[in-house]
Amino acid sequence: MNLPAHKKMLSAAAAASVLLMTAACGSSESDGDSTSTSSTPSSPAPTTDAPADTAETPDAGNEEAGYADGSYEAEGTYVNPGGQSTVKVDLTLSGGKISDVTVTPEATDPKSKQFQTKFAGGVAKEVVGKSLDDLDVQKVAGSSLTSKGFNEAIESIKGEAGV
């Protein structure tokens, strides 16, 4: 039951696609975090026709080993009705997953700062426990534009944390 290398790679790609699709669907629901987290571990089950080490390697190896554990900091900018705003993101990776995140509002426009503050208060519920590759934050606590700056900062962190 030893599969050729190209079939193992196709199985791995299929499993990764299922995980990414599941994560993308789950992250759009603000109250569905626990649902998306519990559906992720069950996704690889259908790929267990292959040897056990092949089924687990794509999930653990590609997502968790792709970034070095540690603390990272980045800023992201975005445009809103109040002008251009910046948001600072401090993030800690542990075991390939986000273990802590702090968003610091840096907007100068009072309305923008208000939205950033709401976003900062709710973003941890959306991202802690996920890998960097699973993130696609769209709207948190009613703030949809702040996520653009947050996602830009995450892209910077991915570059810095990449191994």
Side-chain angles (χ1 to χ4, degrees), residues 117-153:
T117 301
K118 287 181 181 181
F119 182 94
V123 72
K125 293 177 190 172
E126 300 290 326
V127 303
V128 170
K130 294 184 179 179
S131 72
L132 288 177
D133 289 332
D134 288 341
L135 296 186
D136 183 25
V137 178
Q138 296 299 313
K139 185 175 184 179
V140 175
S143 177
S144 57
L145 295 178
T146 306
S147 62
K148 292 179 181 188
F150 177 82
N151 289 332
E152 182 180 291

Side-chain angles (χ1 to χ4, degrees), residues 63-126:
E63 291 179 13
E64 295 177 8
Y67 302 102
D69 287 353
S71 296
Y72 300 93
E73 177 184 305
E75 290 184 324
T77 59
Y78 62 98
V79 177
N80 58 46
Q84 184 168 330
S85 291
T86 303
V87 66
K88 179 180 165 193
V89 177
D90 291 292
L91 184 134
T92 303
L93 290 175
S94 180
K97 306 274 184 193
I98 298 167
S99 61
D100 189 37
V101 65
T102 302
V103 173
T104 305
E106 296 185 340
T108 54
D109 175 68
K111 187 81 165 167
S112 298
K113 190 159 192 138
Q114 178 184 13
F115 279 113
Q116 285 186 357
T117 301
K118 287 181 181 181
F119 182 94
V123 72
K125 293 177 190 172
E126 300 290 326

Side-chain angles (χ1 to χ4, degrees), residues 66-67 131-135 153-163:
Y67 302 102
S131 72
L132 288 177
D133 289 332
D134 288 341
L135 296 186
I154 292 299
E155 289 303 313
S156 278
I157 291 171
K158 283 180 180 180
E160 188 179 333
V163 290

